[in-house]
Amino acid sequence: MEQQRLQTLATELEQLLARLALFDGEVADLRSALEPLLALAGSGALSAPLPWGDIPGGRYFTEGGLRQYPELEQAFARFRIEATGGESPALRKLRGEM
């Protein structure tokens, strides 16, 4: 987990959430769920990787309607990957093959 990258990704995700939450209540709910974690990550206080399931919000994309915002889904995924320890060797290999 790279602190500077995590802080940058947290800021990017928070900005997207703030913009979209004005128009979509489901985005506002996601923002509320992520707010404490984004604050920790943004301040550099998140020092150890989190378990995947400890990051709230994935269900908004899989079960809810937020797939209509691909930019938000990508920002969430980048943040979640970094907060859980960064890209694994397997993920890097998979991305290289695509």
Side-chain angles (χ1 to χ4, degrees):
M1 184 169 76
E2 185 183 316
Q3 279 298 319
Q4 184 60 44
R5 178 166 168 72
L6 183 62
Q7 289 175 328
T8 300
L9 293 172
T11 300
E12 289 173 5
L13 180 55
E14 175 54 38
Q15 289 172 352
L16 267 173
L17 288 166
R19 185 172 39 113
L20 295 172
L22 298 172
F23 310 103
D24 190 315
E26 197 171 9
V27 175
D29 291 345
L30 174 60
R31 183 181 186 198
S32 293
L34 285 172
E35 206 164 33
L37 184 56
L38 290 173
L40 284 173
S43 70
L46 190 63
S47 58
L50 298 173
W52 188 264
D54 285 359
I55 300 174
R59 68 177 182 82
Y60 288 97
F61 298 99
T62 58
E63 299 171 13
L66 295 189
R67 285 212 150 165
Q68 66 179 314
Y69 304 112
E71 185 180 7
L72 178 59
E73 187 172 13
Q74 290 171 5
F76 176 77
R78 285 190 301 268
F79 172 77
R80 194 175 200 187
I81 289 168
E82 195 61 38
T84 58
E87 288 187 356
S88 67
L91 181 57
R92 281 192 291 274
K93 182 179 178 185
L94 178 64
R95 287 186 182 194
E97 291 175 0
M98 296 180 108

Coordinates of all heavy atoms in Angstrom, one line a residue:
M1 N 0.8 -1.2 0.0 CA 0.0 0.0 0.0 C 0.9 1.2 0.0 O 1.7 1.4 0.9 CB -0.9 0.0 1.2 CG -1.9 1.1 1.3 SD -3.1 0.8 2.6 CE -2.2 1.3 4.0
E2 N 0.8 2.0 -1.0 CA 1.6 3.2 -1.1 C 0.8 4.4 -0.7 O -0.3 4.8 -1.2 CB 2.0 3.4 -2.6 CG 2.9 4.5 -2.9 CD 3.2 4.7 -4.3 OE1 3.4 3.7 -5.0 OE2 3.1 5.9 -4.8
Q3 N 1.2 5.1 0.4 CA 0.5 6.2 1.1 C 0.1 7.3 0.1 O -1.0 7.8 0.1 CB 1.2 6.7 2.3 CG 1.1 5.9 3.5 CD -0.3 5.7 4.0 OE1 -1.1 6.7 4.0 NE2 -0.7 4.6 4.4
Q4 N 1.1 7.8 -0.6 CA 0.8 8.9 -1.5 C -0.3 8.6 -2.5 O -1.2 9.4 -2.8 CB 2.1 9.4 -2.2 CG 1.9 10.7 -3.0 CD 1.4 11.8 -2.2 OE1 1.9 12.1 -1.1 NE2 0.4 12.6 -2.7
R5 N -0.2 7.4 -3.1 CA -1.1 7.0 -4.1 C -2.5 6.8 -3.5 O -3.5 7.2 -4.0 CB -0.7 5.7 -4.8 CG -1.7 5.1 -5.8 CD -1.0 4.0 -6.6 NE -2.0 3.3 -7.4 CZ -2.7 3.7 -8.4 NH1 -2.4 5.0 -8.9 NH2 -3.6 3.0 -9.1
L6 N -2.6 6.2 -2.3 CA -3.8 6.1 -1.6 C -4.5 7.4 -1.3 O -5.7 7.6 -1.5 CB -3.6 5.3 -0.3 CG -4.8 5.0 0.5 CD1 -5.8 4.1 -0.2 CD2 -4.5 4.3 1.9
Q7 N -3.7 8.4 -0.9 CA -4.2 9.7 -0.6 C -4.8 10.3 -1.9 O -5.9 10.9 -1.9 CB -3.2 10.6 0.0 CG -2.8 10.3 1.4 CD -1.7 11.1 2.0 OE1 -0.8 11.5 1.3 NE2 -1.7 11.3 3.3
T8 N -4.1 10.2 -3.0 CA -4.5 10.7 -4.2 C -5.8 10.1 -4.7 O -6.7 10.8 -5.1 CB -3.4 10.6 -5.3 OG1 -2.2 11.3 -4.9 CG2 -3.9 11.1 -6.7
L9 N -5.8 8.8 -4.6 CA -7.0 8.0 -5.0 C -8.2 8.4 -4.1 O -9.4 8.5 -4.6 CB -6.8 6.5 -5.0 CG -5.8 6.1 -6.1 CD1 -5.4 4.6 -5.9 CD2 -6.3 6.3 -7.5
A10 N -8.0 8.5 -2.8 CA -9.1 8.9 -1.9 C -9.6 10.3 -2.3 O -10.9 10.5 -2.3 CB -8.6 8.9 -0.5
T11 N -8.8 11.2 -2.6 CA -9.2 12.6 -3.0 C -10.0 12.5 -4.3 O -11.0 13.2 -4.4 CB -8.0 13.5 -3.2 OG1 -7.3 13.6 -1.9 CG2 -8.4 14.9 -3.6
E12 N -9.5 11.8 -5.3 CA -10.2 11.7 -6.6 C -11.6 11.1 -6.4 O -12.6 11.6 -6.9 CB -9.4 10.8 -7.5 CG -8.2 11.5 -8.0 CD -7.3 10.5 -8.9 OE1 -7.7 9.4 -9.1 OE2 -6.2 11.0 -9.2
L13 N -11.7 10.0 -5.6 CA -13.0 9.4 -5.3 C -13.9 10.3 -4.6 O -15.1 10.4 -5.0 CB -12.8 8.1 -4.6 CG -14.0 7.3 -4.2 CD1 -14.8 6.9 -5.5 CD2 -13.6 6.0 -3.5
E14 N -13.4 11.0 -3.6 CA -14.2 11.9 -2.8 C -14.8 13.0 -3.7 O -16.0 13.4 -3.6 CB -13.4 12.5 -1.7 CG -14.2 13.6 -0.9 CD -15.6 13.2 -0.4 OE1 -15.7 12.0 0.1 OE2 -16.5 14.0 -0.4
Q15 N -14.0 13.6 -4.6 CA -14.4 14.6 -5.5 C -15.5 14.1 -6.5 O -16.5 14.8 -6.7 CB -13.3 15.2 -6.3 CG -12.3 16.0 -5.5 CD -11.0 16.4 -6.3 OE1 -10.8 15.9 -7.4 NE2 -10.2 17.2 -5.6
L16 N -15.4 12.9 -7.0 CA -16.4 12.3 -7.9 C -17.7 12.1 -7.1 O -18.8 12.4 -7.6 CB -15.9 11.0 -8.4 CG -15.3 11.0 -9.8 CD1 -14.7 9.6 -10.1 CD2 -16.2 11.4 -10.9
L17 N -17.6 11.6 -5.9 CA -18.7 11.3 -5.1 C -19.5 12.6 -4.7 O -20.7 12.7 -4.8 CB -18.3 10.6 -3.8 CG -17.9 9.1 -3.9 CD1 -17.2 8.7 -2.6 CD2 -19.1 8.3 -4.2
A18 N -18.7 13.7 -4.4 CA -19.3 14.9 -4.1 C -20.1 15.5 -5.2 O -21.2 16.0 -5.1 CB -18.3 15.9 -3.6
R19 N -19.5 15.4 -6.4 CA -20.2 15.9 -7.6 C -21.4 15.2 -8.0 O -22.5 15.8 -8.2 CB -19.2 15.9 -8.8 CG -19.7 16.6 -10.1 CD -18.6 16.7 -11.1 NE -17.8 15.5 -11.2 CZ -17.7 14.7 -12.2 NH1 -18.4 14.9 -13.2 NH2 -16.9 13.7 -12.1
L20 N -21.3 13.8 -8.0 CA -22.5 13.0 -8.4 C -23.6 12.9 -7.3 O -24.7 12.7 -7.6 CB -22.0 11.6 -8.8 CG -21.1 11.6 -10.0 CD1 -20.5 10.2 -10.2 CD2 -21.9 12.0 -11.2
A21 N -23.2 13.1 -6.0 CA -24.2 13.0 -4.9 C -25.2 14.0 -5.0 O -26.3 13.9 -4.5 CB -23.4 13.0 -3.6
L22 N -24.9 15.1 -5.7 CA -25.9 16.2 -5.8 C -27.1 15.8 -6.7 O -28.2 16.4 -6.5 CB -25.2 17.4 -6.5 CG -24.1 18.1 -5.7 CD1 -23.4 19.1 -6.6 CD2 -24.6 18.7 -4.4
F23 N -26.9 14.8 -7.5 CA -27.9 14.4 -8.5 C -28.5 13.0 -8.2 O -29.5 12.6 -8.8 CB -27.4 14.4 -9.9 CG -26.7 15.7 -10.2 CD1 -25.3 15.8 -10.2 CD2 -27.5 16.9 -10.5 CE1 -24.7 17.0 -10.5 CE2 -26.9 18.1 -10.7 CZ -25.5 18.2 -10.8
D24 N -27.8 12.2 -7.4 CA -28.2 10.8 -7.2 C -28.1 10.4 -5.8 O -27.0 10.4 -5.2 CB -27.2 9.9 -8.1 CG -27.7 8.5 -8.2 OD1 -28.1 7.9 -7.2 OD2 -27.6 7.9 -9.3
G25 N -29.2 10.0 -5.2 CA -29.3 9.6 -3.8 C -28.5 8.4 -3.5 O -27.9 8.3 -2.3
E26 N -28.4 7.5 -4.4 CA -27.6 6.3 -4.2 C -26.1 6.6 -4.1 O -25.4 6.1 -3.2 CB -27.8 5.3 -5.3 CG -27.4 3.9 -4.9 CD -27.8 2.8 -5.9 OE1 -28.3 3.2 -7.0 OE2 -27.6 1.7 -5.6
V27 N -25.6 7.6 -4.9 CA -24.2 8.1 -4.8 C -24.0 8.7 -3.4 O -23.0 8.5 -2.8 CB -23.9 9.0 -5.9 CG1 -22.5 9.6 -5.7 CG2 -24.0 8.3 -7.3
A28 N -25.0 9.5 -3.0 CA -25.0 10.1 -1.6 C -24.8 9.1 -0.5 O -24.1 9.3 0.4 CB -26.2 11.0 -1.4
D29 N -25.6 8.0 -0.7 CA -25.5 6.9 0.3 C -24.1 6.3 0.3 O -23.5 6.0 1.4 CB -26.5 5.8 0.0 CG -27.9 6.3 0.3 OD1 -28.1 7.3 1.0 OD2 -28.9 5.6 -0.2
L30 N -23.5 6.1 -0.9 CA -22.2 5.5 -1.0 C -21.2 6.5 -0.4 O -20.3 6.0 0.4 CB -21.8 5.2 -2.5 CG -20.4 4.8 -2.7 CD1 -20.1 3.5 -2.0 CD2 -20.2 4.6 -4.2
R31 N -21.3 7.7 -0.6 CA -20.4 8.7 -0.1 C -20.5 8.7 1.5 O -19.4 8.7 2.1 CB -20.8 10.1 -0.6 CG -19.9 11.2 -0.1 CD -20.3 12.6 -0.6 NE -19.4 13.6 -0.2 CZ -19.7 14.9 -0.2 NH1 -20.9 15.3 -0.6 NH2 -18.8 15.7 0.1
S32 N -21.7 8.6 2.0 CA -21.8 8.5 3.5 C -21.1 7.3 4.0 O -20.5 7.3 5.1 CB -23.3 8.5 3.9 OG -23.9 9.7 3.6
A33 N -21.3 6.2 3.3 CA -20.6 4.9 3.8 C -19.1 5.0 3.8 O -18.4 4.4 4.6 CB -21.2 3.7 3.0
L34 N -18.6 5.6 2.8 CA -17.1 5.7 2.6 C -16.5 6.9 3.3 O -15.2 6.9 3.4 CB -16.8 5.8 1.1 CG -17.0 4.5 0.2 CD1 -16.8 4.9 -1.2 CD2 -16.0 3.5 0.7
E35 N -17.2 7.8 3.7 CA -16.7 9.1 4.2 C -15.6 8.9 5.3 O -14.5 9.4 5.3 CB -17.8 10.0 4.7 CG -17.4 11.4 4.7 CD -18.7 12.3 4.8 OE1 -19.6 11.9 5.5 OE2 -18.6 13.4 4.3
P36 N -15.9 8.0 6.4 CA -14.8 7.9 7.4 C -13.5 7.3 6.9 O -12.5 7.7 7.2 CB -15.5 6.9 8.4 CG -17.0 7.0 8.2 CD -17.1 7.3 6.7
L37 N -13.7 6.3 6.0 CA -12.5 5.6 5.4 C -11.7 6.6 4.5 O -10.5 6.6 4.5 CB -12.9 4.4 4.7 CG -11.8 3.5 4.1 CD1 -10.8 3.1 5.1 CD2 -12.4 2.3 3.4
L38 N -12.4 7.4 3.7 CA -11.8 8.3 2.8 C -11.0 9.4 3.6 O -10.0 9.8 3.3 CB -12.8 9.0 1.9 CG -13.4 8.1 0.8 CD1 -14.5 8.8 0.0 CD2 -12.3 7.6 -0.2
A39 N -11.6 9.8 4.8 CA -10.9 10.8 5.6 C -9.7 10.2 6.2 O -8.6 10.9 6.2 CB -11.9 11.2 6.8
L40 N -9.7 8.9 6.6 CA -8.5 8.3 7.2 C -7.4 8.2 6.1 O -6.2 8.5 6.3 CB -8.8 6.9 7.7 CG -9.5 6.8 9.0 CD1 -9.9 5.3 9.3 CD2 -8.6 7.3 10.1
A41 N -7.8 7.7 4.9 CA -6.9 7.5 3.8 C -6.3 8.9 3.3 O -5.1 9.0 3.1 CB -7.6 6.8 2.6
G42 N -7.2 9.9 3.3 CA -6.7 11.2 2.8 C -5.8 11.9 3.8 O -4.9 12.6 3.3
S43 N -5.9 11.6 5.0 CA -5.0 12.2 6.0 C -3.7 11.4 6.2 O -2.8 11.8 7.0 CB -5.7 12.3 7.4 OG -5.9 11.0 7.9
G44 N -3.6 10.2 5.6 CA -2.5 9.4 5.8 C -2.5 8.5 7.0 O -1.5 7.9 7.4
A45 N -3.7 8.5 7.7 CA -3.8 7.7 8.9 C -4.1 6.2 8.7 O -4.1 5.4 9.6 CB -4.9 8.3 9.8
L46 N -4.3 5.8 7.5 CA -4.6 4.4 7.1 C -3.2 3.8 6.8 O -2.7 3.9 5.7 CB -5.5 4.3 5.9 CG -6.1 2.9 5.6 CD1 -6.9 2.4 6.8 CD2 -6.9 3.0 4.4
S47 N -2.6 3.1 7.8 CA -1.3 2.7 7.6 C -1.1 1.2 7.3 O -0.1 0.7 6.9 CB -0.5 3.0 8.9 OG -1.1 2.3 10.0
A48 N -2.2 0.4 7.5 CA -2.1 -1.0 7.2 C -3.2 -1.4 6.2 O -4.3 -0.8 6.3 CB -2.3 -1.8 8.5
P49 N -2.9 -2.3 5.3 CA -4.0 -2.7 4.3 C -5.2 -3.3 5.0 O -5.1 -3.9 6.1 CB -3.3 -3.8 3.5 CG -1.8 -3.5 3.7 CD -1.7 -3.0 5.1
L50 N -6.4 -3.0 4.5 CA -7.6 -3.5 5.0 C -8.0 -4.7 4.3 O -7.7 -4.9 3.1 CB -8.7 -2.4 4.8 CG -8.5 -1.1 5.5 CD1 -9.6 -0.1 5.1 CD2 -8.6 -1.3 7.0
P51 N -8.8 -5.6 4.9 CA -9.4 -6.7 4.2 C -10.4 -6.2 3.2 O -11.1 -5.2 3.4 CB -10.1 -7.5 5.3 CG -9.4 -7.1 6.6 CD -9.0 -5.7 6.4
W52 N -10.5 -6.9 2.1 CA -11.4 -6.5 1.0 C -12.8 -6.2 1.5 O -13.4 -5.1 1.1 CB -11.4 -7.6 -0.1 CG -12.1 -7.2 -1.3 CD1 -13.4 -7.5 -1.7 CD2 -11.6 -6.5 -2.5 NE1 -13.7 -7.1 -2.9 CE2 -12.6 -6.4 -3.4 CE3 -10.3 -5.9 -2.7 CZ2 -12.4 -5.8 -4.6 CZ3 -10.2 -5.3 -4.0 CH2 -11.2 -5.2 -4.9
G53 N -13.3 -7.0 2.3 CA -14.7 -6.9 2.8 C -14.9 -5.7 3.8 O -16.1 -5.4 4.1
D54 N -13.9 -5.2 4.3 CA -14.0 -4.0 5.2 C -14.2 -2.7 4.5 O -14.3 -1.7 5.2 CB -12.8 -4.0 6.1 CG -12.7 -5.1 7.2 OD1 -13.7 -5.9 7.2 OD2 -11.8 -5.1 8.0
I55 N -14.1 -2.7 3.2 CA -14.3 -1.4 2.5 C -15.8 -1.5 2.0 O -16.1 -2.2 1.1 CB -13.3 -1.3 1.3 CG1 -11.9 -1.3 1.9 CG2 -13.6 0.0 0.5 CD1 -10.8 -1.3 0.9
P56 N -16.6 -0.6 2.5 CA -18.0 -0.6 2.2 C -18.2 0.0 0.8 O -17.4 0.7 0.3 CB -18.6 0.3 3.2 CG -17.6 1.3 3.6 CD -16.3 0.5 3.5
G57 N -19.3 -0.5 0.2 CA -19.7 0.2 -1.1 C -19.8 -0.7 -2.3 O -20.4 -0.3 -3.3
G58 N -19.1 -1.8 -2.3 CA -19.1 -2.7 -3.5 C -20.5 -3.1 -4.0 O -20.8 -3.1 -5.2
R59 N -21.4 -3.3 -3.1 CA -22.8 -3.7 -3.4 C -23.5 -2.6 -4.2 O -24.4 -2.9 -5.0 CB -23.6 -4.1 -2.2 CG -23.9 -3.0 -1.3 CD -24.8 -3.5 -0.1 NE -25.1 -2.4 0.8 CZ -26.1 -1.5 0.5 NH1 -26.9 -1.7 -0.6 NH2 -26.4 -0.5 1.3
Y60 N -23.1 -1.4 -4.1 CA -23.8 -0.3 -4.8 C -23.6 -0.5 -6.3 O -24.4 0.0 -7.1 CB -23.3 1.1 -4.4 CG -23.8 1.5 -3.0 CD1 -23.0 1.3 -1.9 CD2 -25.1 2.1 -2.9 CE1 -23.5 1.7 -0.7 CE2 -25.5 2.4 -1.6 CZ -24.7 2.2 -0.5 OH -25.2 2.6 0.7
F61 N -22.5 -1.1 -6.7 CA -22.2 -1.4 -8.1 C -22.7 -2.7 -8.5 O -23.1 -2.8 -9.7 CB -20.7 -1.3 -8.3 CG -20.1 0.1 -8.0 CD1 -19.5 0.4 -6.8 CD2 -20.3 1.2 -8.9 CE1 -19.0 1.6 -6.5 CE2 -19.8 2.4 -8.6 CZ -19.1 2.7 -7.4
T62 N -22.7 -3.7 -7.7 CA -23.1 -5.0 -8.1 C -24.6 -5.2 -8.0 O -25.2 -5.9 -8.8 CB -22.4 -6.1 -7.3 OG1 -22.7 -5.9 -5.9 CG2 -20.9 -6.1 -7.5
E63 N -25.2 -4.6 -6.9 CA -26.6 -4.8 -6.7 C -27.5 -3.5 -6.9 O -28.7 -3.6 -7.1 CB -26.9 -5.2 -5.2 CG -26.2 -6.6 -4.9 CD -26.3 -6.9 -3.4 OE1 -27.0 -6.2 -2.7 OE2 -25.5 -7.8 -3.0
G64 N -26.8 -2.4 -6.9 CA -27.5 -1.1 -7.1 C -27.4 -0.6 -8.5 O -27.0 -1.4 -9.5
G65 N -27.6 0.6 -8.7 CA -27.6 1.2 -10.0 C -26.4 2.1 -10.4 O -26.5 2.9 -11.3
L66 N -25.3 1.9 -9.6 CA -24.2 2.8 -9.8 C -23.3 2.4 -11.0 O -22.4 3.1 -11.3 CB -23.4 3.0 -8.6 CG -24.1 3.7 -7.4 CD1 -23.2 4.0 -6.3 CD2 -24.8 5.0 -7.9
R67 N -23.6 1.3 -11.6 CA -22.8 0.9 -12.8 C -23.0 1.9 -14.0 O -22.3 1.9 -14.9 CB -23.2 -0.5 -13.3 CG -22.6 -1.5 -12.4 CD -22.3 -2.7 -13.2 NE -21.2 -3.4 -12.5 CZ -20.9 -4.6 -12.8 NH1 -21.6 -5.3 -13.6 NH2 -19.8 -5.1 -12.2
Q68 N -24.0 2.8 -13.8 CA -24.3 3.8 -14.9 C -23.2 4.9 -14.8 O -23.1 5.7 -15.7 CB -25.7 4.4 -14.7 CG -25.8 5.2 -13.4 CD -27.1 5.8 -13.2 OE1 -27.6 6.4 -14.2 NE2 -27.8 5.7 -12.1
Y69 N -22.4 4.8 -13.8 CA -21.3 5.8 -13.7 C -19.9 5.1 -13.7 O -19.3 4.8 -12.7 CB -21.3 6.5 -12.3 CG -22.6 7.2 -12.1 CD1 -23.5 6.8 -11.1 CD2 -23.0 8.4 -12.8 CE1 -24.7 7.4 -10.8 CE2 -24.2 9.0 -12.6 CZ -25.0 8.6 -11.6 OH -26.2 9.2 -11.3
P70 N -19.5 4.7 -14.9 CA -18.2 3.9 -15.1 C -17.0 4.6 -14.5 O -16.1 4.0 -13.9 CB -18.1 3.7 -16.6 CG -19.0 4.6 -17.2 CD -20.1 5.0 -16.2
E71 N -17.0 6.0 -14.6 CA -15.8 6.7 -14.0 C -15.8 6.5 -12.5 O -14.7 6.4 -11.9 CB -16.0 8.2 -14.4 CG -14.8 9.0 -13.9 CD -14.9 10.5 -14.3 OE1 -16.0 10.9 -14.8 OE2 -14.0 11.2 -14.1
L72 N -17.0 6.5 -11.8 CA -17.1 6.3 -10.4 C -16.7 4.9 -10.0 O -16.0 4.7 -9.1 CB -18.5 6.7 -9.9 CG -18.7 6.5 -8.4 CD1 -17.8 7.3 -7.6 CD2 -20.2 6.7 -8.1
E73 N -17.2 4.0 -10.8 CA -16.9 2.6 -10.5 C -15.4 2.3 -10.6 O -14.8 1.6 -9.8 CB -17.6 1.6 -11.5 CG -17.5 0.2 -11.2 CD -18.4 -0.7 -12.0 OE1 -18.9 -0.3 -13.0 OE2 -18.5 -1.9 -11.6
Q74 N -14.7 2.9 -11.6 CA -13.3 2.7 -11.8 C -12.5 3.4 -10.6 O -11.5 2.9 -10.1 CB -12.8 3.3 -13.1 CG -13.3 2.5 -14.3 CD -13.0 3.1 -15.6 OE1 -12.4 4.2 -15.7 NE2 -13.5 2.5 -16.7
A75 N -12.9 4.6 -10.2 CA -12.3 5.3 -9.1 C -12.4 4.5 -7.8 O -11.5 4.4 -7.0 CB -12.9 6.7 -8.9
F76 N -13.6 3.9 -7.6 CA -13.8 3.1 -6.4 C -12.9 1.9 -6.4 O -12.3 1.5 -5.4 CB -15.3 2.7 -6.3 CG -15.6 1.8 -5.2 CD1 -15.7 2.2 -3.9 CD2 -15.8 0.4 -5.4 CE1 -16.0 1.4 -2.8 CE2 -16.0 -0.5 -4.4 CZ -16.1 0.0 -3.1
A77 N -12.9 1.2 -7.6 CA -12.0 0.0 -7.7 C -10.5 0.4 -7.5 O -9.9 -0.4 -6.8 CB -12.2 -0.6 -9.1
R78 N -10.1 1.5 -8.0 CA -8.6 1.8 -7.8 C -8.4 2.1 -6.3 O -7.4 1.7 -5.8 CB -8.3 3.0 -8.7 CG -8.1 2.8 -10.2 CD -7.5 3.9 -10.9 NE -8.3 5.2 -10.8 CZ -9.3 5.5 -11.6 NH1 -9.6 4.8 -12.7 NH2 -10.0 6.6 -11.5
F79 N -9.3 2.8 -5.7 CA -9.1 3.1 -4.3 C -9.2 1.8 -3.5 O -8.3 1.6 -2.6 CB -10.2 4.1 -3.8 CG -10.2 4.2 -2.3 CD1 -9.3 5.0 -1.7 CD2 -11.2 3.6 -1.5 CE1 -9.3 5.2 -0.3 CE2 -11.2 3.7 -0.1 CZ -10.2 4.5 0.5
R80 N -10.1 0.9 -3.8 CA -10.3 -0.3 -3.0 C -9.0 -1.2 -3.2 O -8.6 -1.8 -2.2 CB -11.5 -1.0 -3.5 CG -12.0 -2.2 -2.6 CD -13.3 -2.7 -3.1 NE -14.0 -3.4 -2.0 CZ -15.0 -4.2 -2.2 NH1 -15.6 -4.2 -3.4 NH2 -15.6 -4.8 -1.2
I81 N -8.5 -1.3 -4.4 CA -7.3 -2.1 -4.6 C -6.1 -1.6 -3.8 O -5.4 -2.3 -3.1 CB -7.0 -2.2 -6.1 CG1 -8.0 -3.0 -6.8 CG2 -5.6 -2.7 -6.3 CD1 -7.9 -3.0 -8.3
E82 N -5.9 -0.3 -3.8 CA -4.8 0.3 -3.1 C -5.0 0.2 -1.6 O -4.0 -0.1 -0.8 CB -4.6 1.8 -3.5 CG -3.3 2.4 -3.0 CD -2.1 1.7 -3.7 OE1 -2.2 1.3 -4.9 OE2 -1.1 1.5 -3.0
A83 N -6.2 0.4 -1.1 CA -6.5 0.3 0.4 C -6.4 -1.1 0.9 O -6.2 -1.3 2.1 CB -7.9 0.8 0.7
T84 N -6.4 -2.1 0.0 CA -6.3 -3.5 0.4 C -4.8 -4.0 0.2 O -4.6 -5.2 0.3 CB -7.3 -4.4 -0.3 OG1 -7.1 -4.3 -1.7 CG2 -8.7 -4.1 0.1
G85 N -3.9 -3.1 -0.1 CA -2.5 -3.5 -0.2 C -1.9 -3.3 -1.6 O -0.8 -3.6 -1.8
G86 N -2.7 -2.7 -2.5 CA -2.1 -2.4 -3.8 C -2.3 -3.6 -4.8 O -2.9 -4.7 -4.4
E87 N -1.9 -3.4 -6.0 CA -2.0 -4.5 -7.0 C -1.2 -5.7 -6.7 O 0.0 -5.6 -6.4 CB -1.6 -4.0 -8.4 CG -2.5 -3.0 -9.0 CD -2.2 -2.6 -10.4 OE1 -1.1 -3.1 -10.9 OE2 -2.9 -1.9 -11.0
S88 N -1.8 -6.8 -6.7 CA -1.1 -8.1 -6.5 C -0.3 -8.4 -7.8 O -0.6 -7.9 -8.9 CB -2.0 -9.2 -6.2 OG -2.8 -9.5 -7.4
P89 N 0.7 -9.3 -7.7 CA 1.4 -9.7 -8.9 C 0.5 -10.4 -9.9 O 0.6 -10.2 -11.1 CB 2.4 -10.8 -8.4 CG 2.7 -10.4 -6.9 CD 1.3 -9.8 -6.5
A90 N -0.5 -11.1 -9.4 CA -1.5 -11.7 -10.4 C -2.3 -10.7 -11.1 O -2.5 -10.8 -12.3 CB -2.4 -12.6 -9.6
L91 N -2.7 -9.6 -10.4 CA -3.4 -8.5 -11.1 C -2.5 -7.8 -12.1 O -3.0 -7.5 -13.2 CB -4.0 -7.5 -10.1 CG -4.8 -6.4 -10.6 CD1 -6.0 -6.9 -11.5 CD2 -5.3 -5.5 -9.5
R92 N -1.3 -7.5 -11.7 CA -0.4 -6.9 -12.7 C -0.2 -7.7 -13.9 O -0.2 -7.2 -15.0 CB 1.0 -6.6 -12.0 CG 0.9 -5.4 -11.1 CD 2.3 -5.0 -10.7 NE 2.9 -5.9 -9.8 CZ 2.8 -5.9 -8.5 NH1 2.0 -5.0 -7.9 NH2 3.4 -6.8 -7.7
K93 N 0.0 -9.0 -13.7 CA 0.1 -10.0 -14.9 C -1.1 -10.0 -15.7 O -1.0 -9.9 -17.0 CB 0.4 -11.4 -14.4 CG 0.6 -12.4 -15.5 CD 0.9 -13.7 -15.0 CE 1.1 -14.7 -16.1 NZ 1.3 -16.1 -15.7
L94 N -2.3 -10.0 -15.1 CA -3.5 -10.0 -15.9 C -3.7 -8.7 -16.7 O -4.0 -8.7 -17.8 CB -4.7 -10.1 -14.9 CG -6.1 -10.1 -15.5 CD1 -6.3 -11.3 -16.5 CD2 -7.2 -10.1 -14.5
R95 N -3.4 -7.6 -16.1 CA -3.4 -6.3 -16.8 C -2.4 -6.2 -18.0 O -2.7 -5.7 -19.0 CB -3.2 -5.1 -15.9 CG -4.4 -4.9 -15.0 CD -4.2 -3.7 -14.1 NE -5.4 -3.6 -13.3 CZ -5.7 -2.5 -12.6 NH1 -4.9 -1.4 -12.7 NH2 -6.7 -2.5 -11.8
G96 N -1.3 -6.9 -17.8 CA -0.3 -6.9 -18.8 C -0.7 -7.7 -20.0 O -0.3 -7.5 -21.1
E97 N -1.5 -8.7 -19.8 CA -2.0 -9.6 -20.8 C -3.2 -9.0 -21.6 O -3.5 -9.5 -22.7 CB -2.4 -11.0 -20.2 CG -1.2 -11.8 -19.7 CD -1.6 -13.1 -19.1 OE1 -2.8 -13.4 -19.0 OE2 -0.7 -13.8 -18.6
M98 N -3.8 -8.1 -21.0 CA -5.0 -7.5 -21.7 C -4.7 -6.4 -22.6 O -3.8 -5.7 -22.6 CB -6.0 -6.9 -20.6 CG -6.5 -8.0 -19.7 SD -7.6 -7.4 -18.5 CE -9.1 -8.0 -19.1

